[in-house]
């Protein structure tokens, strides 16, 4: 890691001198909970897709949240899969309460309840989805690559 860091600093320092811009370097400890860095990467990618497709980043957030957070919670949170199955059963039998119950549960589902491992899984699912469904390879800046490894 030190060799990579020194190499990165050397190449970017040289570029900064050539551009006449100061180089700012911050070294910090890796955070273990859902971090600001994960959130920054997430929204950077959604805004990138927004620029490519014209679809609003907030609506993209709702789409990928609906597709993937539920799957992660069904996998990791005790009782969540059973609740989702119960809601699906309400839909299958044509229950008049289905829509209000499903909407209420959906409001409670948030990316903020994911831990760092779950959010890493979420970022990987989004990256694969954007490539396979939209043909867009989302960027992962060098300083944030550790988030999806």
């Amino acid at each position: 890691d030190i060799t990579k860091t020194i190499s990165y600093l050397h190449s970017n320092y040289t570029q900064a001198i050539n551009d006449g811009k100061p180089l700012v370097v911050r070294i910090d400890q890796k955070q273990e909970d859902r971090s600001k860095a994960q959130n920054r990467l997430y929204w950077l990618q959604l805004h990138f897709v927004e620029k490519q497709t014209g679809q609003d980043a907030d609506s993209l957030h709702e789409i990928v949240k609906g597709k993937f957070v539920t799957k992660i919670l069904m996998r990791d949170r005790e009782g969540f899969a059973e609740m989702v199955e119960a809601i699906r059963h309400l839909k299958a039998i044509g229950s008049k309460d289905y829509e209000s119950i499903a909407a209420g549960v959906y409001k409670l589902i948030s990316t903020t309840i994911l831990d760092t491992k779950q959010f890493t899984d979420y970022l990987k699912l989004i990256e694969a989805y954007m490539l396979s469904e939209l043909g867009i390879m989302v960027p992962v800046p060098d300083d944030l690559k550790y988030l999806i490894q």
Side-chain angles (χ1 to χ4, degrees):
D1 288 340
I2 290 173
T3 304
K4 289 180 192 175
T5 303
I6 291 170
S7 174
Y8 180 83
L9 289 172
H10 178 69
S11 64
N12 285 284
Y13 174 75
T14 303
Q15 185 64 42
I17 289 174
N18 292 338
D19 293 344
K21 297 178 183 176
L23 179 65
V24 177
V25 178
R26 186 178 89 196
I27 299 175
D28 202 350
Q29 294 289 326
K30 181 177 172 184
Q31 298 177 3
E32 294 305 322
D33 56 353
R34 179 184 171 194
S35 66
K36 289 180 184 177
Q38 282 179 313
N39 199 53
R40 185 165 49 103
L41 176 60
Y42 177 57
W43 286 101
L44 178 142
Q45 291 178 337
L46 291 181
H47 285 290
F48 179 82
V49 174
E50 177 182 41
K51 288 177 185 172
Q52 301 298 308
T53 66
Q55 188 169 2
D56 180 63
D58 289 327
S59 67
L60 288 166
H61 165 69
E62 290 300 320
I63 290 167
V64 294
K65 178 181 85 165
K67 283 185 157 307
F68 303 123
V69 173
T70 300
K71 288 179 184 179
I72 292 169
L73 294 176
M74 286 177 67
R75 178 192 73 194
D76 295 349
R77 186 152 298 178
E78 188 176 330
F80 195 84
E82 292 80 3
M83 179 185 64
V84 169
E85 287 305 315
I87 293 170
R88 287 180 180 156
H89 178 71
L90 289 175
K91 182 178 183 181
I93 64 171
S95 171
K96 61 182 171 129
D97 297 323
Y98 161 73
E99 286 189 26
S100 63
I101 292 171
V105 170
Y106 185 76
K107 283 182 183 179
L108 297 175
I109 295 172
S110 171
T111 59
T112 61
I113 62 177
L114 301 177
D115 62 26
T116 53
K117 181 191 178 315
Q118 291 169 327
F119 206 82
T120 297
D121 293 346
Y122 182 58
L123 290 170
K124 289 177 182 179
L125 288 166
I126 291 168
E127 183 177 24
Y129 170 77
M130 295 300 181
L131 185 58
S132 67
E133 297 299 316
L134 302 178
I136 297 172
M137 184 175 284
V138 291
V140 181
D142 287 342
D143 65 326
L144 298 176
K145 285 187 178 177
Y146 75 93
L147 295 171
I148 58 169
Q149 295 175 344

